[in-house]
C-alpha cells in the first residue's frame, strides 16, 4: 500500500457463475467486515479493502455531474485486500523437517487454534471448513483463521439445551444414589423435549461443507442439524496431522 503496509490480496473469481457462489462471496465479506470491527480481535484475518472491477463514470443529462457506478455485467471477479501473515499451517507441515516440530510447538499451536475457534463460537459462528490451509501463523505460532466462505451463523443455544447442561452440571456436583433416579427422570423428559424442539426447527444446514478429510461424522451421514461441534472434529484431525509431522509420534 501507499503507506508501506504489506497486505495479502485474495482473488475471488466466477462470482456470477451461480446464485450459490454469489451468496457465498457476500456472506464471507459480511462476516469478515463484522469480525474486523471487533476490538482486540487477534484470532481472524482483518479485511482492509475490496477492489471491484467494472467501474465507469457516467454523466447525468440534467446537471452534467459525473458519478462512478458499478457495471454488474463486468463484475466477474473481485480482489479482497487483507492483512498478511507469514505462512499457513499446511505450508509449515509440508516444508519443516520432522525434527523441528516438537511437543511444545504442538501444544502451543493447538492452544491457539482452540482459542481462535472458541472466539468464533462465542460469536455464534461455525466455520465449517477448518483445515491447515485455512489456519494462518506467524513465527511466534500466533494463529489467525481465514476463509469464511462456508461460515454460517448458528442459532443461540435454546432453553431446552441450557436446561440439559444445567442438569448435567448438577449431577456432576451431587451424584449421590438418592439423586440418580431423579436425574434420569428429568434428563429423559428434557431429551424428549429437545427432540421435539429439533423436529420443529425449520432451518437446516447444508451437508456439502468441509474438506473431505476434516469432515465430521454427522456431516458425512448427511445430518442437516449439526452445530459447532463439527469444528472441534476438524481441530482433532489437525492435531493428528501435527503429531504425524513430529518425529516423536
Amino acid at each position: 500500500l501507499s503507506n508501506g503496509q504489506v497486505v495479502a490480496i485474495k482473488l475471488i473469481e466466477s462470482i456470477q457463475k451461480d446464485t450459490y457462489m454469489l451468496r457465498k462471496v457476500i456472506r464471507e465479506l459480511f462476516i469478515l467486515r463484522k469480525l474486523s470491527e471487533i476490538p482486540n480481535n487477534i484470532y481472524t484475518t482483518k479485511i482492509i479493502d475490496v477492489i471491484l472491477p467494472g467501474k465507469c463514470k457516467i454523466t447525468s443529462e440534467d446537471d452534467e455531474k459525473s458519478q462512478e457506478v458499478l457495471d454488474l455485467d463486468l463484475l466477474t471477479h473481485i480482489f479482497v485486500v487483507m492483512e498478511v501473515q507469514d505462512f499457513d499451517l499446511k505450508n509449515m507441515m509440508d516444508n519443516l523437517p520432522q525434527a523441528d516440530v516438537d511437543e511444545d510447538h504442538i501444544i502451543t499451536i493447538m492452544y491457539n487454534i482452540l482459542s481462535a475457534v472458541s472466539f468464533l463460537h462465542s460469536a455464534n459462528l461455525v466455520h465449517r471448513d477448518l483445515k491447515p490451509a485455512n489456519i494462518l501463523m506467524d513465527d511466534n505460532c500466533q494463529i489467525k483463521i481465514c476463509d469464511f466462505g462456508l461460515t454460517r451463523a448458528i442459532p443461540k443455544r435454546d432453553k431446552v439445551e441450557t436446561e440439559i447442561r444445567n442438569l448435567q452440571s448438577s449431577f456432576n456436583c451431587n451424584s449421590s444414589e438418592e439423586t440418580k433416579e431423579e436425574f434420569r427422570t428429568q434428563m429423559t423428559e428434557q431429551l424428549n423435549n429437545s427432540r421435539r424442539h429439533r423436529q420443529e426447527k425449520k432451518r437446516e444446514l447444508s451437508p456439502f461443507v468441509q474438506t473431505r478429510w476434516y469432515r465430521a461424522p454427522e456431516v458425512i451421514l448427511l445430518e442437516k442439524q449439526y452445530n459447532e461441534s463439527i469444528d472441534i472434529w476438524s481441530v482433532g484431525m489437525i492435531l493428528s496431522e501435527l503429531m504425524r509431522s513430529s518425529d516423536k509420534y
Side-chain angles (χ1 to χ4, degrees):
L1 298 180
S2 58
N3 59 1
Q5 181 182 2
V6 179
V7 297
I9 300 178
K10 177 181 180 179
L11 170 63
I12 303 179
E13 298 181 289
S14 305
I15 293 179
Q16 294 182 338
K17 182 178 180 181
D18 51 44
T19 305
Y20 171 76
M21 184 63 186
L22 183 59
R23 187 187 300 119
K24 179 181 174 182
V25 172
I26 294 174
R27 181 189 300 150
E28 179 173 12
L29 294 178
F30 178 80
I31 291 175
L32 273 173
R33 184 173 66 86
K34 288 297 182 181
L35 290 175
S36 299
E37 293 173 353
I38 299 177
N40 303 320
N41 173 15
I42 61 172
Y43 300 114
T44 63
T45 54
K46 292 183 174 59
I47 187 171
I48 298 174
D49 195 6
V50 177
I51 302 175
L52 303 175
K55 285 187 177 181
C56 60
K57 288 187 177 181
I58 63 173
T59 303
S60 171
E61 296 180 356
D62 298 331
D63 52 14
E64 296 185 353
K65 290 183 178 179
S66 63
Q67 57 180 348
E68 197 175 54
V69 296
L70 182 64
D71 187 351
L72 294 179
D73 292 333
L74 300 178
L75 187 59
T76 57
H77 62 278
I78 63 174
F79 296 95
V80 183
V81 184
M82 299 176 290
E83 61 181 359
V84 69
Q85 288 291 108
D86 296 337
F87 47 86
D88 59 56
L89 187 57
K90 183 179 186 304
N91 181 266
M92 185 206 78
M93 291 190 296
D94 289 344
N95 294 295
L96 279 182
Q98 284 188 323
D100 289 347
V101 182
D102 57 24
E103 187 172 322
D104 289 338
H105 280 115
I106 295 176
I107 292 174
T108 302
I109 292 171
M110 288 305 303
Y111 175 83
N112 289 334
I113 291 176
L114 289 171
S115 297
V117 172
S118 176
F119 170 78
L120 286 180
H121 292 173
S122 68
N124 288 323
L125 294 174
V126 53
H127 190 277
R128 304 202 302 177
D129 194 24
L130 285 176
K131 56 185 178 181
N134 289 339
I135 297 176
L136 307 180
M137 294 178 55
D138 60 16
D139 292 333
N140 296 320
C141 295
Q142 179 61 50
I143 296 296
K144 289 196 175 185
I145 296 177
C146 67
D147 196 352
F148 295 92
L150 293 176
T151 302
R152 289 290 296 274
I154 52 179
K156 292 183 179 180
R157 199 173 302 280
D158 54 54
K159 182 180 179 181
V160 175
E161 291 187 25
T162 303
E163 290 178 355
I164 291 176
R165 287 180 176 269
N166 291 338
L167 280 173
Q168 291 173 332
S169 299
S170 175
F171 178 74
N172 292 333
C173 295
N174 184 14
S175 57
S176 62
E177 292 295 332
E178 294 78 11
T179 62
K180 286 185 177 179
E181 188 61 34
E182 181 183 359
F183 171 79
R184 292 192 187 98
T185 303
Q186 293 180 1
M187 180 62 75
T188 301
E189 181 182 354
Q190 295 296 344
L191 288 173
N192 288 332
N193 290 338
S194 176
R195 181 182 179 187
R196 287 193 295 268
H197 179 74
R198 291 179 182 276
Q199 290 174 342
E200 293 171 357
K201 281 185 177 180
K202 295 183 179 180
R203 184 182 183 187
E204 292 184 342
L205 297 174
S206 169
F208 302 103
V209 297
Q210 294 186 305
T211 303
R212 181 178 302 166
W213 313 116
Y214 308 92
R215 195 172 295 170
E218 53 265 41
V219 181
I220 295 175
L221 297 174
L222 302 183
E223 174 62 54
K224 295 183 178 181
Q225 293 181 349
Y226 51 80
N227 55 25
E228 63 270 24
S229 61
I230 68 170
D231 285 343
I232 303 302
W233 177 276
S234 300
V235 172
M237 300 304 296
I238 293 171
L239 171 60
S240 68
E241 285 198 67
L242 277 171
M243 294 176 67
R244 286 187 304 175
S245 298
S246 173
D247 60 353
K248 294 184 178 180
Y249 298 98

